[in-house]
Amino acid sequence: MLTRQQIEQSAEFLINKGFDQPEIGIVLGTGLGKLVDSIEEPVVAHYNTIPSFPLATVEFHSGKLIYGMMGGKKVVVMQGRFHLYEGYDFIDITYPIRVMHELGIKKLLVSNAAGAVNLKMKKGDMMLIEDHINLQGGSPLAFKGVNQFGERFVDMSAPYDTAMNGILKNLAKEQGVTLHEGVYASVVGPQLETRAEYRMLKNMGADAVGMSTVPEVIVANHLSLPVCAVSVLTDECDPDNLEPVNVPEIIAIAEKAEPRMVALFKTLIEEL
Ligand code: HPA
């Protein structure tokens, strides 16, 4: 069970390290890794050194929290996120969000890589997540004692912050980049979807599908933390012409989109 004490311990360690009242939290997914190059005066805390971090395992040695300045703001960046498909549970994968909130962040920015289910969207394009469908078979709020952290029955009528979404849409226009808007469906993975599953996702109203983000967004809403999220679409999920998954190509496409994604987030931070 998650306790307040654990979160306070993790936060205290980070505050003592110099994580001084960050304003913005950022979850780096595929496509945003290079954002860390823009952090000024970085302070780094590896996950496996942070007390009470449930993820402090030998296995996950490369994950870290980075604190610093970006676009004139104090930010805390999560480099390396946790997925259900790696064997973590919903409380583990959302724990860093609760710690960043404890540190004082007022806004959360999330990125990920996803497959395009809506075939009007092409690989390499970006999609602003406007709403989501949770197909991960559970919730990060379905545990004992959740009320200590906020109302259990969290409203999800507008899970993504419309003000930040508006700014992102304007910035994309100014920067001349395609930013679709759509519904993200989250699955557990790690296997990709079958043709029948892609057909189902399309029929149920999803525009993109991926294996992350939704638990973090649910917890942000639980904490009344405004959140926005952008996907880079790395493959086209056409059930009638489905090609075998090509992971090197997915990574290459995410890397190609990276400068556009980084520019979008950097300018958003300047405007917040
Ligand atoms: N399905 C699920 N996750 C993904 C995909 C996909 O097609 N592409 C990138 N992440």
Side-chain angles (χ1 to χ4, degrees):
M1 196 180 106
L2 186 62
T3 65
R4 278 226 143 271
Q5 221 178 355
Q6 270 176 296
I7 289 163
E8 283 164 8
Q9 266 174 9
S10 301
E12 194 187 324
F13 171 87
L14 292 164
I15 291 164
N16 289 336
K17 241 180 131 51
F19 284 53
D20 175 37
Q21 297 182 322
E23 299 153 72
I24 298 168
I26 305 164
V27 182
L28 297 183
T30 311
L32 259 188
K34 292 235 161 57
L35 196 77
V36 291
D37 299 342
S38 317
I39 305 173
E40 298 151 39
E41 303 162 51
V43 184
V44 176
H46 288 266
Y47 294 152
N48 57 359
T49 64
I50 307 171
S52 297
F53 235 63
L55 312 158
T57 60
V58 187
E59 201 182 321
F60 208 96
H61 50 82
S62 60
K64 46 188 179 273
L65 283 180
I66 307 167
Y67 170 87
M69 297 293 294
M70 196 187 292
K73 307 263 182 346
K74 295 173 181 175
V75 301
V76 56
V77 174
M78 240 183 103
Q79 191 179 35
R81 66 138 70 89
F82 309 94
H83 300 91
L84 288 173
Y85 64 71
E86 292 160 313
Y88 296 106
D89 66 27
F90 281 104
I91 294 183
D92 290 339
I93 59 184
T94 54
Y95 187 84
I97 307 296
R98 294 192 180 278
V99 172
M100 291 195 288
H101 176 257
E102 183 72 19
L103 290 171
I105 61 164
K106 301 285 180 281
K107 293 193 165 65
L108 181 68
L109 281 41
V110 181
S111 75
N112 63 45
V117 173
N118 180 337
L119 299 175
K120 290 191 192 114
M121 302 181 185
K122 300 298 169 198
K123 54 184 171 189
D125 290 352
M126 294 185 290
M127 186 190 92
L128 179 64
I129 304 181
E130 189 268 318
D131 205 348
H132 72 224
I133 301 173
N134 178 11
L135 295 176
Q136 292 184 318
S139 164
L141 306 183
F143 62 90
K144 288 176 193 150
V146 70
N147 320 49
Q148 306 173 70
F149 302 95
E151 162 66 38
R152 186 183 292 273
F153 300 102
V154 175
D155 174 55
M156 292 295 277
S157 58
Y160 297 84
D161 186 61
T162 47
M164 281 197 282
N165 285 359
I167 298 172
L168 281 166
K169 284 189 268 185
N170 284 336
L171 288 169
K173 230 176 266 166
E174 276 171 35
Q175 291 165 20
V177 298
T178 303
L179 182 66
H180 302 288
E181 222 179 322
V183 173
Y184 174 91
S186 66
V187 294
V188 175
Q191 74 285 351
L192 279 291
E193 288 67 40
T194 63
R195 288 164 295 150
E197 286 165 342
Y198 284 133
R199 220 167 264 130
M200 172 196 76
L201 288 163
K202 190 175 167 181
N203 287 340
M204 67 167 54
D207 296 296
V209 57
M211 304 172 191
S212 68
T213 302
V214 167
E216 291 103 312
V217 169
I218 292 172
V219 165
N221 277 269
H222 189 221
L223 299 167
S224 301
L225 184 60
V227 57
C228 65
V230 178
S231 297
V232 47
L233 304 172
T234 53
D235 52 313
E236 291 165 20
C237 310
D238 180 358
D240 299 317
N241 296 286
L242 192 60
E243 288 167 21
V245 64
N246 182 340
V247 175
E249 195 199 354
I250 284 184
I251 293 167
I253 288 180
E255 279 173 2
K256 213 172 137 215
E258 198 165 49
R260 274 176 284 138
M261 188 85 124
V262 169
L264 199 58
F265 273 65
K266 268 167 85 170
T267 47
L268 171 65
I269 292 165
E270 284 163 14
E271 292 217 6
L272 290 179

